[in-house]
Amino acid sequence: MKKIIFGLLATVLLLSCKEEAKKTGASNGETVAQEVNVYTHRHYPADQELFASFEEKTGIKVNVVNASADELIQKMGEEGAQSPADVLITVDAGRLVRAKDRGLLQSVDSEVLRTTVPGHLRDTDNQWFALTKRARIIAYAKDRVQPDQLSTYEDLASDRWKGKILVRSSGNIYNQSLMASVIAHTDEATAKEWANGVLNNMARDPKGNDRDQVKAVVAGEGDVAIVNTYYIGKLLNSEDAEEVKAGEGVGIFFPNQDGRGTHINVSGAGVAKYAPNKANAVTFLEFLISEEAQKVFAHSNYEYPVNPKVPAAELLRSWGDFKEDTLDLSALGNNNKKAVMVFDEVGWK
Ligand code: FE
């Protein structure tokens, strides 16, 4: 009996040592597998490359669960305190705010993250941090539009663009975040008026993704499209000749340069509330924001790096510097419901 009790005790001790080793990263003679579980909406080859170099550098294994941000947020909610998730990565600030509001993230005390990620690009409670930036710009038909005819998002509601605007549906989070920023800078009534004006100027009912809007501009269906910058990069570097042609046919215009700046959104990450490997999760985020990792982000997916020390890729630099809207990105999430309501009220499908 004594033997059994001793045996049990030893097992319990061993297990708790292992737990402790896992938490602290101590190895006490034997190697304990270090890992970090990443729930991510991003599905780019560059991310795989980065995860591999993180593993090599730190010995911490990266386990990836890939799904849409909505699915991942739901999964984390259902898993509750049992969730294996350490890190959540999404491709827009709106969903990071949503995850925070649902209590799925936790504050992180990291000087590296705090000092590297500009204030408007991270959560006020340090529950999430931007990793990459994208601007929502106006792509215009080079052969029919002069850039000096363009100025602001607001101006797209004016009569001169009647029948000329291409933009995807309002169900898309990029448009919801743009609308949320308009509401944040003005008010719902003004935003509604703007939405109505843009709706009246549409070349067709909203359909397709951002790339489809650019293709439609080049096909002559309309003159201007509201799209994210990296899609132009993707088109220009596509293996499909038609896509390259579409990318080449449009100019990039950064709206609102004399005012609040061009609307930007981010992909970003936060540490899960119940992260079993919190220390590894923080190390992982610090790695993703490092100059080394930010260079990979900058050169692979045509996004703007968040680390100010890392220059954007050449193609993006060729579009020129621009003033970005420094609105606190939490406002995109906080105004999301209002934005959806405005779209519904004016009938922007
Ligand atoms: Fe996208």
Side-chain angles (χ1 to χ4, degrees):
M1 186 63 181
K2 256 187 189 171
K3 250 188 188 169
I4 294 173
I5 290 175
F6 181 76
L8 272 174
L9 207 69
T11 312
V12 168
L13 272 175
L14 187 70
L15 281 175
S16 60
C17 273
K18 267 194 177 166
E19 261 315 298
E20 202 41 46
K22 251 191 196 171
K23 278 182 194 153
T24 58
S27 65
N28 69 332
E30 60 174 313
T31 339
V32 174
Q34 290 283 321
E35 58 182 9
V36 63
N37 301 319
V38 179
Y39 282 21
T40 178
H41 184 133
R42 289 177 60 100
H43 38 76
Y44 310 118
D47 292 42
Q48 302 309 318
E49 188 189 315
L50 279 174
F51 298 169
S53 67
F54 175 77
E55 286 181 343
E56 201 174 303
K57 230 184 165 80
T58 63
I60 299 170
K61 188 171 184 318
V62 182
N63 305 314
V64 177
V65 175
N66 234 310
S68 78
D70 285 336
E71 286 165 349
L72 294 170
I73 286 170
Q74 195 186 340
K75 186 170 157 69
M76 285 170 78
E78 285 164 5
E79 289 167 344
Q82 305 306 315
S83 176
D86 291 308
V87 172
L88 172 70
I89 302 180
T90 80
V91 290
D92 68 274
R95 287 208 179 78
L96 289 167
V97 173
R98 200 174 287 174
K100 179 192 177 185
D101 289 347
R102 295 201 183 159
L104 300 175
L105 302 177
Q106 62 173 302
S107 297
V108 165
D109 185 23
S110 157
E111 202 185 326
V112 173
L113 293 173
R114 244 190 346 261
T115 54
T116 312
V117 182
H120 67 288
L121 301 178
R122 57 183 153 84
D123 174 48
T124 40
D125 301 318
N126 292 308
Q127 293 206 8
W128 53 260
F129 303 84
L131 298 173
T132 64
K133 291 186 288 191
R134 49 279 292 281
R136 198 140 180 82
I137 51 93
I138 301 173
Y140 61 91
K142 274 183 189 165
D143 56 349
R144 300 188 296 281
V145 176
Q146 293 304 313
D148 62 9
Q149 294 174 278
L150 292 159
S151 57
T152 60
Y153 297 108
E154 285 69 25
D155 181 61
L156 294 178
S158 76
D159 280 346
R160 76 163 106 177
W161 299 110
K162 191 132 212 113
K164 306 239 184 283
I165 298 177
L166 289 148
V167 59
R168 72 199 292 177
S169 81
S170 67
N172 172 261
I173 192 94
Y174 304 143
N175 280 343
Q176 291 172 8
S177 287
L178 173 61
M179 180 61 81
S181 81
V182 173
I183 294 171
H185 284 293
T186 58
D187 53 62
E188 277 172 82
T190 311
K192 202 171 148 180
E193 211 175 298
W194 175 68
N196 206 29
V198 174
L199 180 69
N200 286 330
N201 287 345
M202 284 186 191
R204 64 179 187 193
D205 282 346
K207 65 172 179 185
N209 57 29
D210 277 9
R211 269 177 278 206
D212 294 324
Q213 314 311 317
V214 177
K215 289 175 193 168
V217 167
V218 172
E221 275 193 70
D223 283 354
V224 292
I226 305 172
V227 295
N228 284 355
T229 33
Y230 57 91
Y231 288 115
I232 309 292
K234 286 186 182 206
L235 287 170
L236 287 170
N237 290 279
S238 171
E239 281 168 14
D240 179 341
E242 283 299 305
E243 294 209 326
V244 177
K245 213 177 112 192
E248 287 172 346
V250 293
I252 309 265
F253 186 84
F254 294 97
N256 297 68
Q257 290 302 287
D258 294 334
R260 63 182 186 260
T262 298
H263 169 68
I264 55 152
N265 205 332
V266 298
S267 78
V271 174
K273 172 87 177 279
Y274 301 106
N277 308 288
K278 182 180 178 185
N280 292 349
V282 175
T283 307
F284 182 68
L285 292 197
E286 290 176 346
F287 169 76
L288 292 180
I289 210 69
S290 69
E291 287 182 53
E292 176 193 348
Q294 289 280 303
K295 271 182 203 151
V296 176
F297 277 137
H299 288 276
S300 54
N301 202 42
Y302 319 106
E303 292 173 281
Y304 292 92
V306 157
N307 186 328
K309 284 191 183 144
V310 178
E314 214 178 298
L315 171 67
L316 277 67
R317 289 208 304 273
S318 77
W319 298 334
D321 287 337
F322 69 98
K323 178 183 174 186
E324 73 182 47
D325 185 352
T326 55
L327 173 73
D328 194 320
L329 290 183
S330 301
L332 305 185
N334 297 337
N335 284 333
N336 181 271
K337 276 207 183 86
K338 286 183 193 165
V340 171
M341 246 165 56
V342 166
F343 281 129
D344 281 352
E345 281 171 15
V346 302
W348 179 331
K349 283 181 209 134

